[in-house]
Amino acid sequence: MNNYITVILMIILSLQSCNNDSYDKIDAKAMVVSAHPLASDVGIAVLKKGGNAADATIAVQFALAVVYPSAGNIGGGGFFVYRSNKGNYSTLDYREKAPLIAYRDMYLDSNNKVIKNSSLYSHKAVGVPGTVDGMVEIHQKYGNLKWEELVQPSIDLAENGFVVTSRESKKLNRFNANHNVSDFYNPYYKDQFKEGDTIKLPDLAQTLKFIRDYKREGFYSGKVAENLITEMKNNEGFITENDLKSYKSIWREPIIGNYKNYKLISMGPPSSGGVLLMQMLKMAEQFPLKKYKFHSKESIHIMTEIERRSFADRAKHFGDPDFYDVPISELLDSSYLQTRANNIDLNIATPSDNIYAGSWNASESDETTHFSIVDQYGNASSVTTTLNGSFGSGIVVKNSGFLLNNEMDDFSIKPGHPNMYGLIGGEANSIIPEKRMLSSMTPTILEKNGQLFMIVGTPGGSTIISAVFQVILNVIEYGMSIEESVNASRFHHQWYPDEIKLEKVISKDSSLIRELQSLNHRLNFVNSMNRVDAILIENHQLFGGADNRGDDHISFF
Ligand code: GLY
């Protein structure tokens, strides 16, 4: 009898949680798709208890900080895009900001040269973290369940331990081999991780308990803040008590636009993602992409040229809107975008040297992680969060057990000097105390005929925007299921370097490669690009797309 019950239970469990290659079409009421099975399960458990998408967002964010340390975080930041079941939208910016004593040339030596790795792997690379404040803000505005119930699952994971997957074990081994962290406290150190090993993180569990019990104050003041400030003082870092006290996440105006009969809600500056995505889709609208078919010479060429033009605009016109007047309406002006698309030559690539940021008369890891949630009430959230590089700065706050970001590298540390994603920038994105560094994160929600249609986003630095652009077109223009769409191979162009980055799988079609080269495109093959996690809603059914490039996972009920 006992065996019989066990088998039934196993069948029920297997129906409620599935990995990225077994899910097709299940009549679910609620769904969470994230980079880690344990985080997706935490989110769905919160929804089952009567929580909403905002509650699940908070629980998943904290769970990822434990089980997915390369990008999940409490020492970083992110962006939250929310659509209520009544069709109201809001977007929260919990991006890191520059410390009060940061200054424009802080990464340059006396000869005006960039000090190697200083914006990436030093205590000066760390921006003031925004995640905890962001989660508290989301809870105050939308939370349904008690705060403690949302933090407790991550405490349990950190305290009781969690089992590493094969991919995660490799990532942790790379982290331990690549980062010179021997001088620093490193709770992730082990000679060699292998699949099935258990990691316990008692210091992180204690930090999460402070956050559970004291919310914002549990992180930005008290013991955790003291440990963070000591870490900074002992290592020439810039973050002070005042920085922690004054950090505030900000509700921003969403970027709202249309592609054909679809409405998009996405993140505005200090992310460039929403505006660039809208630019790309508006330019794409002017070409018969469906007729050209998926990954034809014509469609890759046109989309590449579109991406090239938008990234040229990004380099010049984007920064923190509290410090720089980002010309959003000019960048999204339909006649501007039409002119920009009109000069795409269908027969030849335009060299990036011949493309400049647009101008107007009057004014002017690859590591991050994304999760998508739809609750049983019809609310949706689309959240992208990051430490910037894989494991951020690699610095773990001693006695508090959490990794710190290296988001300062997303500033333009010197005009024309590329950041870790090869992106260049200018004055708009220069370092100023308390300014937010420019991002490419693109958490996005789509509506079709006024109804919730898609929740989508991805990690991947600069490639985020192109990936979201392509996944949306895969569904709308090429008729793919959401699962096919996120798993389809991708390409990316970002103005400079003047090359198309293609996933190697595309190179198998050598005739296509020759055709692209005949259009003067320079090609750079890479193993694998972003991990997109998305949900599609059609006829009131939820369909999950968890990228098979990673351990990404769909949980539902
Ligand atoms: N750190 C990557 C981004 O925000 O775009």
Side-chain angles (χ1 to χ4, degrees):
M1 186 61 183
N2 269 351
N3 282 351
Y4 180 66
I5 291 169
T6 311
V7 170
I8 299 280
L9 273 174
M10 282 172 68
I11 292 169
I12 291 169
L13 282 174
S14 71
L15 279 174
Q16 291 177 332
S17 185
C18 60
N19 66 20
N20 43 34
D21 42 23
S22 64
Y23 179 77
D24 184 22
K25 185 173 174 180
I26 293 169
D27 197 8
K29 289 201 275 290
M31 188 173 279
V32 179
V33 189
S34 85
H36 200 287
L38 292 168
S40 295
D41 287 350
V42 162
I44 212 72
V46 160
L47 296 181
K48 273 187 186 164
K49 279 172 87 174
N52 58 28
D55 293 315
T57 295
I58 297 162
V60 172
Q61 172 85 47
F62 286 126
L64 286 168
V66 179
V67 299
Y68 194 67
S70 59
N73 67 82
I74 53 175
F79 297 107
F80 166 78
V81 175
Y82 189 71
R83 181 189 182 277
S84 77
N85 53 11
K86 304 223 162 42
N88 300 319
Y89 321 119
S90 56
T91 54
L92 183 71
D93 157 9
Y94 58 98
R95 180 77 161 161
E96 302 92 321
K97 63 175 190 176
L100 283 156
I101 55 170
Y103 54 94
R104 184 195 160 97
D105 294 337
M106 61 187 272
Y107 300 112
L108 306 185
D109 65 16
S110 51
N111 296 319
N112 226 21
K113 291 217 162 59
V114 172
I115 305 163
K116 196 165 179 249
N117 283 341
S118 56
S119 67
L120 284 170
Y121 306 115
S122 81
H123 285 70
K124 287 195 181 75
V126 185
V128 184
T131 295
V132 176
D133 186 77
M135 295 307 106
V136 172
E137 196 61 46
I138 291 168
H139 189 251
Q140 274 167 1
K141 188 159 173 148
Y142 292 116
N144 198 15
L145 296 187
K146 288 204 181 89
W147 172 256
E148 304 81 78
E149 293 179 79
L150 309 177
V151 190
Q152 189 60 43
S154 58
I155 297 173
D156 296 340
L157 285 166
E159 208 156 47
N160 303 332
F162 60 95
V163 174
V164 294
T165 65
S166 164
R167 278 194 183 91
E168 287 304 308
S169 66
K170 289 184 190 121
K171 224 190 246 185
L172 285 160
N173 290 336
R174 272 199 304 276
F175 169 64
N176 282 322
N178 292 343
H179 287 258
N180 183 19
V181 289
S182 52
D183 295 344
F184 303 126
Y185 161 79
N186 179 10
Y188 298 100
Y189 188 76
K190 183 173 192 266
D191 220 11
Q192 273 296 307
F193 276 103
K194 55 181 187 335
E195 180 180 5
D197 284 345
T198 297
I199 301 185
K200 291 185 182 181
L201 299 165
D203 287 344
L204 180 56
Q206 182 55 55
T207 297
L208 289 164
K209 283 179 191 170
F210 283 125
I211 294 168
R212 176 196 63 194
D213 297 342
Y214 302 104
K215 296 191 177 171
R216 193 187 185 286
E217 280 65 40
F219 183 84
Y220 294 95
S221 41
K223 195 75 205 149
V224 176
E226 261 172 46
N227 288 340
L228 202 164
I229 290 158
T230 305
E231 184 72 46
M232 289 289 144
K233 274 191 186 144
N234 291 346
N235 298 284
E236 299 177 351
F238 276 13
I239 296 176
T240 62
E241 199 182 339
N242 286 341
D243 286 307
L244 298 179
K245 287 228 161 84
S246 65
Y247 183 85
K248 220 42 222 126
S249 45
I250 301 172
W251 295 99
R252 304 268 187 199
E253 278 300 308
I255 296 297
I256 298 179
N258 294 296
Y259 175 72
K260 300 190 172 171
N261 58 332
Y262 298 84
K263 184 172 183 179
L264 284 99
I265 303 105
S266 193
M267 194 67 219
S271 182
S272 57
V275 175
L276 255 69
L277 175 65
M278 277 318 306
Q279 279 199 320
M280 289 177 188
L281 288 167
K282 285 317 249 186
M283 285 192 266
E285 225 170 31
Q286 297 168 48
F287 298 92
L289 291 177
K290 190 172 187 163
K291 186 182 111 193
Y292 289 141
K293 300 205 163 46
F294 175 71
H295 281 189
S296 63
K297 170 184 89 170
E298 291 83 1
S299 65
I300 293 186
H301 173 66
I302 289 164
M303 288 158 75
T304 294
E305 293 302 316
I306 286 171
E307 291 173 12
R308 185 197 307 277
R309 282 155 180 78
S310 289
F311 274 98
D313 277 342
R314 186 192 190 279
K316 178 160 185 199
H317 294 303
F318 285 83
D320 180 347
D322 296 339
F323 289 78
Y324 182 85
D325 199 7
V326 181
I328 296 175
S329 53
E330 287 85 349
L331 288 160
L332 293 179
D333 179 76
S334 44
S335 56
Y336 168 65
L337 292 172
Q338 188 151 14
T339 314
R340 206 102 165 119
N342 277 350
N343 82 8
I344 293 176
D345 186 332
L346 295 182
N347 300 308
I348 194 93
T350 317
S352 287
D353 285 347
N354 296 351
I355 294 288
Y356 305 96
S359 59
W360 304 272
N361 288 339
S363 49
E364 150 131 33
S365 355
D366 84 340
E367 280 291 347
T368 292
T369 188
H370 174 85
F371 52 96
S372 295
I373 299 176
V374 175
D375 67 25
Q376 62 276 34
Y377 316 111
N379 307 296
S381 56
S382 183
V383 186
T384 315
T385 180
T386 189
L387 290 165
N388 193 28
S390 188
F391 297 89
S393 61
I395 297 162
V396 181
V397 175
K398 196 168 179 184
N399 301 324
S400 283
F402 62 95
L403 278 148
L404 290 167
N405 69 80
N406 56 356
E407 217 72 61
M408 291 293 285
D409 189 64
D410 269 349
F411 277 117
S412 172
I413 61 171
K414 182 181 176 183
H417 182 86
N419 72 4
M420 74 179 294
Y421 299 103
L423 290 167
I424 50 182
E427 203 49 46
N429 190 31
S430 62
I431 304 173
I432 299 178
E434 298 211 89
K435 185 175 174 183
R436 269 123 152 119
M437 53 299 282
L438 184 59
S439 171
S440 299
M441 293 190 271
T442 314
T444 298
I445 295 179
L446 276 79
E447 285 178 3
K448 183 181 180 182
N449 305 323
Q451 302 295 313
L452 183 63
F453 177 68
M454 193 194 291
I455 299 99
V456 60
T458 180
S462 51
T463 65
I464 290 174
I465 310 169
S466 326
V468 173
F469 172 53
Q470 288 168 40
V471 168
I472 290 172
L473 292 180
N474 287 349
V475 170
I476 295 177
E477 296 298 341
Y478 303 124
M480 292 184 196
S481 71
I482 194 68
E483 194 179 2
E484 290 167 331
S485 175
V486 303
N487 291 325
S489 50
R490 287 189 273 276
F491 57 92
H492 167 74
H493 198 293
Q494 60 181 49
W495 186 41
Y496 286 107
D498 188 352
E499 63 184 26
I500 310 178
K501 221 187 236 189
L502 298 105
E503 285 183 304
K504 275 194 178 133
V505 55
I506 299 180
S507 74
K508 289 201 179 119
D509 182 353
S510 51
S511 64
L512 173 64
I513 297 311
R514 277 196 300 276
E515 284 177 332
L516 289 171
Q517 284 165 331
S518 76
L519 294 175
N520 273 3
H521 287 293
R522 204 172 318 133
L523 308 179
N524 175 7
F525 295 102
V526 295
N527 283 330
S528 164
M529 299 215 303
N530 340 61
R531 293 162 55 170
V532 180
D533 286 332
I535 300 174
L536 189 87
I537 301 96
E538 267 202 310
N539 302 324
H540 305 288
Q541 277 197 306
L542 304 183
F543 300 85
D547 205 307
N548 64 15
R549 292 164 181 83
D551 298 321
D552 303 49
H553 187 87
I554 303 158
S555 296
F556 58 90
F557 73 89

Short mmCIF file of all heavy atoms in Angstrom, two decimals, residues 40-86:
data_model
loop_
_atom_site.label_atom_id
_atom_site.label_comp_id
_atom_site.label_asym_id
_atom_site.label_seq_id
_atom_site.Cartn_x
_atom_site.Cartn_y
_atom_site.Cartn_z
N SER A 40 12.39 27.89 -9.06
CA SER A 40 11.05 27.81 -9.67
C SER A 40 10.08 27.13 -8.70
O SER A 40 8.92 27.56 -8.55
CB SER A 40 11.08 27.01 -10.98
OG SER A 40 11.85 27.69 -11.94
N ASP A 41 10.57 26.10 -8.00
CA ASP A 41 9.70 25.38 -7.05
C ASP A 41 9.33 26.26 -5.86
O ASP A 41 8.20 26.22 -5.37
CB ASP A 41 10.37 24.09 -6.56
CG ASP A 41 10.38 23.00 -7.64
OD1 ASP A 41 9.70 23.19 -8.67
OD2 ASP A 41 11.06 21.98 -7.46
N VAL A 42 10.29 27.07 -5.40
CA VAL A 42 9.98 28.01 -4.30
C VAL A 42 8.88 28.97 -4.75
O VAL A 42 7.92 29.24 -4.02
CB VAL A 42 11.26 28.79 -3.88
CG1 VAL A 42 10.91 30.04 -3.09
CG2 VAL A 42 12.19 27.90 -3.05
N GLY A 43 9.01 29.47 -5.95
CA GLY A 43 8.01 30.43 -6.46
C GLY A 43 6.63 29.80 -6.56
O GLY A 43 5.62 30.40 -6.15
N ILE A 44 6.56 28.58 -7.04
CA ILE A 44 5.25 27.95 -7.24
C ILE A 44 4.64 27.60 -5.88
O ILE A 44 3.41 27.67 -5.70
CB ILE A 44 5.34 26.74 -8.20
CG1 ILE A 44 4.03 26.62 -8.99
CG2 ILE A 44 5.61 25.42 -7.53
CD1 ILE A 44 3.81 27.65 -10.03
N ALA A 45 5.48 27.25 -4.90
CA ALA A 45 4.96 26.94 -3.56
C ALA A 45 4.31 28.18 -2.95
O ALA A 45 3.25 28.09 -2.30
CB ALA A 45 6.09 26.42 -2.66
N VAL A 46 4.92 29.33 -3.17
CA VAL A 46 4.34 30.59 -2.68
C VAL A 46 2.99 30.85 -3.35
O VAL A 46 2.01 31.26 -2.71
CB VAL A 46 5.35 31.75 -2.93
CG1 VAL A 46 4.67 33.10 -2.90
CG2 VAL A 46 6.46 31.70 -1.90
N LEU A 47 2.91 30.60 -4.63
CA LEU A 47 1.63 30.81 -5.34
C LEU A 47 0.56 29.84 -4.83
O LEU A 47 -0.59 30.21 -4.65
CB LEU A 47 1.82 30.64 -6.86
CG LEU A 47 2.74 31.67 -7.53
CD1 LEU A 47 2.84 31.41 -9.03
CD2 LEU A 47 2.26 33.09 -7.29
N LYS A 48 0.98 28.62 -4.57
CA LYS A 48 0.01 27.62 -4.05
C LYS A 48 -0.55 28.03 -2.70
O LYS A 48 -1.67 27.68 -2.35
CB LYS A 48 0.70 26.25 -3.90
CG LYS A 48 0.66 25.43 -5.15
CD LYS A 48 1.20 24.06 -4.83
CE LYS A 48 1.33 23.22 -6.08
NZ LYS A 48 2.16 22.06 -5.87
N LYS A 49 0.26 28.75 -1.92
CA LYS A 49 -0.21 29.20 -0.61
C LYS A 49 -1.15 30.40 -0.73
O LYS A 49 -1.57 30.96 0.29
CB LYS A 49 0.99 29.65 0.24
CG LYS A 49 1.72 28.51 0.90
CD LYS A 49 3.00 29.00 1.55
CE LYS A 49 2.80 29.49 2.96
NZ LYS A 49 4.09 29.82 3.61
N GLY A 50 -1.41 30.86 -1.93
CA GLY A 50 -2.29 32.02 -2.12
C GLY A 50 -1.54 33.29 -2.42
O GLY A 50 -2.13 34.36 -2.56
N GLY A 51 -0.22 33.20 -2.55
CA GLY A 51 0.56 34.38 -2.93
C GLY A 51 0.28 34.77 -4.37
O GLY A 51 -0.28 34.00 -5.14
N ASN A 52 0.69 36.00 -4.69
CA ASN A 52 0.51 36.45 -6.07
C ASN A 52 1.87 36.54 -6.77
O ASN A 52 2.91 36.18 -6.19
CB ASN A 52 -0.23 37.80 -6.10
CG ASN A 52 0.51 38.86 -5.31
OD1 ASN A 52 1.73 38.80 -5.17
ND2 ASN A 52 -0.22 39.84 -4.78
N ALA A 53 1.86 37.03 -8.01
CA ALA A 53 3.11 37.06 -8.80
C ALA A 53 4.18 37.92 -8.12
O ALA A 53 5.38 37.63 -8.23
CB ALA A 53 2.82 37.59 -10.20
N ALA A 54 3.76 38.98 -7.42
CA ALA A 54 4.74 39.82 -6.73
C ALA A 54 5.37 39.06 -5.56
O ALA A 54 6.59 39.11 -5.35
CB ALA A 54 4.07 41.10 -6.23
N ASP A 55 4.54 38.35 -4.79
CA ASP A 55 5.07 37.52 -3.71
C ASP A 55 6.07 36.50 -4.25
O ASP A 55 7.16 36.30 -3.68
CB ASP A 55 3.94 36.75 -3.01
CG ASP A 55 2.99 37.65 -2.25
OD1 ASP A 55 3.46 38.55 -1.55
OD2 ASP A 55 1.76 37.44 -2.36
N ALA A 56 5.68 35.84 -5.35
CA ALA A 56 6.56 34.81 -5.93
C ALA A 56 7.85 35.44 -6.43
O ALA A 56 8.93 34.85 -6.33
CB ALA A 56 5.83 34.08 -7.05
N THR A 57 7.76 36.66 -6.97
CA THR A 57 8.96 37.37 -7.42
C THR A 57 9.96 37.49 -6.28
O THR A 57 11.16 37.20 -6.43
CB THR A 57 8.58 38.79 -7.90
OG1 THR A 57 7.75 38.67 -9.05
CG2 THR A 57 9.80 39.64 -8.23
N ILE A 58 9.47 37.91 -5.12
CA ILE A 58 10.35 38.13 -3.96
C ILE A 58 10.98 36.81 -3.53
O ILE A 58 12.20 36.71 -3.32
CB ILE A 58 9.53 38.77 -2.81
CG1 ILE A 58 9.01 40.14 -3.24
CG2 ILE A 58 10.35 38.85 -1.52
CD1 ILE A 58 7.86 40.68 -2.40
N ALA A 59 10.15 35.77 -3.44
CA ALA A 59 10.66 34.46 -2.99
C ALA A 59 11.67 33.89 -3.99
O ALA A 59 12.70 33.32 -3.59
CB ALA A 59 9.49 33.50 -2.80
N VAL A 60 11.41 34.06 -5.29
CA VAL A 60 12.34 33.53 -6.30
C VAL A 60 13.65 34.32 -6.30
O VAL A 60 14.74 33.74 -6.38
CB VAL A 60 11.68 33.54 -7.71
CG1 VAL A 60 12.69 33.18 -8.79
CG2 VAL A 60 10.49 32.58 -7.75
N GLN A 61 13.53 35.64 -6.16
CA GLN A 61 14.75 36.47 -6.12
C GLN A 61 15.67 35.99 -4.98
O GLN A 61 16.87 35.80 -5.17
CB GLN A 61 14.38 37.94 -5.93
CG GLN A 61 15.55 38.88 -5.68
CD GLN A 61 16.26 39.37 -6.93
OE1 GLN A 61 15.64 39.80 -7.89
NE2 GLN A 61 17.59 39.32 -6.93
N PHE A 62 15.10 35.79 -3.77
CA PHE A 62 15.93 35.36 -2.64
C PHE A 62 16.43 33.92 -2.84
O PHE A 62 17.58 33.60 -2.49
CB PHE A 62 15.17 35.51 -1.32
CG PHE A 62 15.03 36.95 -0.87
CD1 PHE A 62 13.79 37.49 -0.57
CD2 PHE A 62 16.15 37.76 -0.76
CE1 PHE A 62 13.66 38.82 -0.16
CE2 PHE A 62 16.04 39.10 -0.35
CZ PHE A 62 14.79 39.63 -0.05
N ALA A 63 15.60 33.06 -3.38
CA ALA A 63 16.03 31.67 -3.60
C ALA A 63 17.19 31.60 -4.59
O ALA A 63 18.16 30.85 -4.40
CB ALA A 63 14.85 30.83 -4.08
N LEU A 64 17.11 32.42 -5.65
CA LEU A 64 18.21 32.42 -6.63
C LEU A 64 19.51 32.91 -6.00
O LEU A 64 20.60 32.47 -6.38
CB LEU A 64 17.85 33.30 -7.83
CG LEU A 64 16.82 32.72 -8.81
CD1 LEU A 64 16.33 33.80 -9.77
CD2 LEU A 64 17.40 31.55 -9.61
N ALA A 65 19.38 33.82 -5.00
CA ALA A 65 20.59 34.31 -4.32
C ALA A 65 21.31 33.17 -3.61
O ALA A 65 22.52 33.23 -3.37
CB ALA A 65 20.22 35.40 -3.32
N VAL A 66 20.58 32.11 -3.29
CA VAL A 66 21.19 30.96 -2.62
C VAL A 66 21.65 29.92 -3.64
O VAL A 66 22.83 29.55 -3.68
CB VAL A 66 20.20 30.32 -1.62
CG1 VAL A 66 20.83 29.10 -0.93
CG2 VAL A 66 19.73 31.33 -0.59
N VAL A 67 20.72 29.46 -4.48
CA VAL A 67 21.02 28.29 -5.31
C VAL A 67 21.67 28.62 -6.65
O VAL A 67 22.13 27.74 -7.35
CB VAL A 67 19.74 27.45 -5.56
CG1 VAL A 67 19.17 26.95 -4.25
CG2 VAL A 67 18.69 28.23 -6.35
N TYR A 68 21.69 29.91 -7.01
CA TYR A 68 22.23 30.30 -8.32
C TYR A 68 23.18 31.49 -8.13
O TYR A 68 22.94 32.60 -8.58
CB TYR A 68 21.05 30.66 -9.24
CG TYR A 68 21.40 30.76 -10.70
CD1 TYR A 68 21.78 29.63 -11.42
CD2 TYR A 68 21.36 31.98 -11.36
CE1 TYR A 68 22.10 29.71 -12.76
CE2 TYR A 68 21.67 32.08 -12.71
CZ TYR A 68 22.04 30.93 -13.39
OH TYR A 68 22.36 31.02 -14.73
N PRO A 69 24.30 31.24 -7.42
CA PRO A 69 25.13 32.36 -6.97
C PRO A 69 25.80 33.14 -8.08
O PRO A 69 26.24 34.26 -7.85
CB PRO A 69 26.17 31.68 -6.06
CG PRO A 69 26.21 30.27 -6.51
CD PRO A 69 24.82 29.94 -6.97
N SER A 70 25.89 32.60 -9.29
CA SER A 70 26.58 33.34 -10.35
C SER A 70 25.80 34.58 -10.77
O SER A 70 26.37 35.52 -11.30
CB SER A 70 26.83 32.45 -11.57
OG SER A 70 25.61 31.96 -12.06
N ALA A 71 24.51 34.61 -10.50
CA ALA A 71 23.71 35.77 -10.92
C ALA A 71 22.60 36.11 -9.94
O ALA A 71 22.26 37.28 -9.77
CB ALA A 71 23.11 35.52 -12.30
N GLY A 72 22.00 35.11 -9.32
CA GLY A 72 21.00 35.38 -8.30
C GLY A 72 21.69 36.17 -7.20
O GLY A 72 22.88 35.97 -6.96
N ASN A 73 20.98 37.03 -6.51
CA ASN A 73 21.74 37.91 -5.63
C ASN A 73 20.90 38.64 -4.60
O ASN A 73 19.71 38.87 -4.81
CB ASN A 73 22.44 38.98 -6.47
CG ASN A 73 21.44 39.93 -7.12
OD1 ASN A 73 20.97 40.87 -6.48
ND2 ASN A 73 21.07 39.67 -8.36
N ILE A 74 21.59 39.06 -3.53
CA ILE A 74 21.11 40.16 -2.70
C ILE A 74 22.14 41.30 -2.74
O ILE A 74 21.86 42.39 -2.28
CB ILE A 74 20.83 39.75 -1.23
CG1 ILE A 74 22.04 39.06 -0.61
CG2 ILE A 74 19.59 38.87 -1.14
CD1 ILE A 74 21.87 38.75 0.87
N GLY A 75 23.30 41.02 -3.33
CA GLY A 75 24.36 42.03 -3.42
C GLY A 75 24.40 42.71 -4.76
O GLY A 75 25.40 43.35 -5.11
N GLY A 76 23.32 42.61 -5.54
CA GLY A 76 23.28 43.21 -6.87
C GLY A 76 22.06 44.08 -7.05
O GLY A 76 21.67 44.83 -6.16
N GLY A 77 21.41 43.95 -8.19
CA GLY A 77 20.23 44.76 -8.47
C GLY A 77 19.44 44.17 -9.62
O GLY A 77 19.76 43.07 -10.11
N GLY A 78 18.44 44.90 -10.09
CA GLY A 78 17.64 44.39 -11.19
C GLY A 78 16.48 45.29 -11.55
O GLY A 78 16.39 46.43 -11.10
N PHE A 79 15.60 44.73 -12.36
CA PHE A 79 14.42 45.46 -12.83
C PHE A 79 13.20 44.54 -12.81
O PHE A 79 13.29 43.36 -13.17
CB PHE A 79 14.63 45.95 -14.27
CG PHE A 79 15.76 46.94 -14.41
CD1 PHE A 79 16.96 46.56 -15.00
CD2 PHE A 79 15.64 48.24 -13.95
CE1 PHE A 79 18.00 47.46 -15.14
CE2 PHE A 79 16.67 49.16 -14.08
CZ PHE A 79 17.86 48.76 -14.67
N PHE A 80 12.07 45.12 -12.41
CA PHE A 80 10.83 44.35 -12.23
C PHE A 80 9.74 45.00 -13.10
O PHE A 80 9.49 46.20 -12.99
CB PHE A 80 10.46 44.44 -10.76
CG PHE A 80 9.07 44.03 -10.35
CD1 PHE A 80 8.72 42.69 -10.23
CD2 PHE A 80 8.11 44.98 -10.02
CE1 PHE A 80 7.46 42.31 -9.80
CE2 PHE A 80 6.85 44.62 -9.58
CZ PHE A 80 6.51 43.27 -9.47
N VAL A 81 9.14 44.20 -13.96
CA VAL A 81 8.03 44.69 -14.80
C VAL A 81 6.79 43.90 -14.40
O VAL A 81 6.81 42.66 -14.37
CB VAL A 81 8.34 44.51 -16.31
CG1 VAL A 81 7.15 44.91 -17.17
CG2 VAL A 81 9.57 45.31 -16.70
N TYR A 82 5.72 44.61 -14.09
CA TYR A 82 4.53 43.94 -13.53
C TYR A 82 3.29 44.35 -14.31
O TYR A 82 3.12 45.53 -14.65
CB TYR A 82 4.39 44.38 -12.07
CG TYR A 82 3.34 43.64 -11.27
CD1 TYR A 82 3.53 42.31 -10.90
CD2 TYR A 82 2.17 44.27 -10.88
CE1 TYR A 82 2.57 41.63 -10.14
CE2 TYR A 82 1.21 43.61 -10.12
CZ TYR A 82 1.43 42.29 -9.76
OH TYR A 82 0.49 41.62 -9.01
N ARG A 83 2.44 43.37 -14.58
CA ARG A 83 1.14 43.66 -15.18
C ARG A 83 0.09 43.01 -14.29
O ARG A 83 0.10 41.80 -14.09
CB ARG A 83 1.04 43.11 -16.59
CG ARG A 83 -0.31 43.42 -17.26
CD ARG A 83 -0.44 42.66 -18.57
NE ARG A 83 -1.68 42.97 -19.27
CZ ARG A 83 -2.86 42.42 -19.01
NH1 ARG A 83 -2.98 41.50 -18.05
NH2 ARG A 83 -3.93 42.75 -19.72
N SER A 84 -0.83 43.83 -13.76
CA SER A 84 -1.88 43.25 -12.92
C SER A 84 -2.96 42.63 -13.80
O SER A 84 -3.04 42.92 -15.00
CB SER A 84 -2.50 44.34 -12.04
OG SER A 84 -3.38 45.13 -12.82
N ASN A 85 -3.80 41.82 -13.17
CA ASN A 85 -4.86 41.17 -13.96
C ASN A 85 -5.89 42.19 -14.45
O ASN A 85 -6.72 41.88 -15.30
CB ASN A 85 -5.51 40.04 -13.16
CG ASN A 85 -5.97 40.52 -11.79
OD1 ASN A 85 -5.99 41.73 -11.52
ND2 ASN A 85 -6.33 39.59 -10.92
N LYS A 86 -5.80 43.42 -13.96
CA LYS A 86 -6.70 44.47 -14.47
C LYS A 86 -6.06 45.24 -15.62
O LYS A 86 -6.62 46.20 -16.14
CB LYS A 86 -7.04 45.44 -13.33
CG LYS A 86 -7.64 44.78 -12.11
CD LYS A 86 -8.81 45.59 -11.57
CE LYS A 86 -9.71 44.80 -10.66
NZ LYS A 86 -9.02 43.91 -9.72
#
